[in-house]
Amino acid sequence: MTNHQPPPGGTGTETPGPRIGNRHPLALVLFTLTVVSGFVDAVTFLGLGHVFAANMTGNVVVIGFAAAGAPGFSVIGSLVSLGAFLVGAALAGRLARRLHGRRRTAWVRVALVGEAVLLATTTVLAFAGAADATYVLIGLLALAMGVRNGTVLKLNVPDLTTTVLTRTLAGLATESRLVGGEDTLAARRILAAVAMVAGALPGAWLVLHHGMGWALLVSTAAVTVAACVYRERPEATPEASAS
């Protein structure tokens, strides 16, 4: 039984679900965003007080750690992130309804542009060395991730959530051929995990050795390029789109 969400509507805006193959333009965008998530959480966790902007499960756990008195964790920072994330997700829901009847390409591109603008703003603030801007940076990044997560939730592409891997890795193990399963999404699940590491590793290196601004600049550039190049052929059928 699939968790099929109502689409924004119109030709080309149907919820793609499992019909989207790994080489489909939308899948490639989602892989790119997964890489960006690694950069963003490297910035917030290593540079902004052990807070997550993309991984809200981590924030809930961090709040528990901080409330118990564990050093180095911020209840306020995590609450700011959670609140901004929820606002962003709500905006994504409003966007999906506002663009009801429009093609999926236009809807996704608007969400990508919104994320790119928010990331660009944090990049400018980081390079400017704005004093006491920690919570502002956390809020803007979490807002961007909320917009993205709300949009990705509506897209409903299996195992390409772009920000969390728990269910993806569980599926990889439980549906593996090693245990008698037929994991048709194994390649996607592995690629999603690799994409996250591919963002977290250089993101952490940039934060630790060159500052947050450079990691945010790379993130901004990646999302901007994705927004500019993302296209889907109007005449393509779901079967033709799958790889």
Side-chain angles (χ1 to χ4, degrees), residues 70 78 105 115 148 188 233 237:
S78 293
T105 305
E115 179 174 339
R148 185 215 287 179
R188 172 176 296 181
R233 285 184 237 170
T237 63

Side-chain angles (χ1 to χ4, degrees), residues 159-184:
D159 290 296
L160 274 178
T161 63
T162 78
T163 55
V164 292
L165 293 174
T166 304
R167 186 170 179 176
T168 299
L169 294 175
L172 182 64
T174 58
E175 297 177 24
S176 167
R177 288 179 179 155
L178 293 175
V179 296
E182 295 183 4
D183 190 358
T184 57

Side-chain angles (χ1 to χ4, degrees), residues 6 9 23 28 30 35 65 81 85 110 122 128-129 156 171 174 192-194 196 209 214-215 218 223 226 237 240:
R23 297 179 185 176
L28 296 178
L30 295 179
V35 174
F65 292 164
S81 184
F85 182 91
V110 170
T122 62
N156 195 29
T174 58
V194 170
M196 187 73 77
H209 298 284
W214 290 104
V218 173
V223 177
T237 63

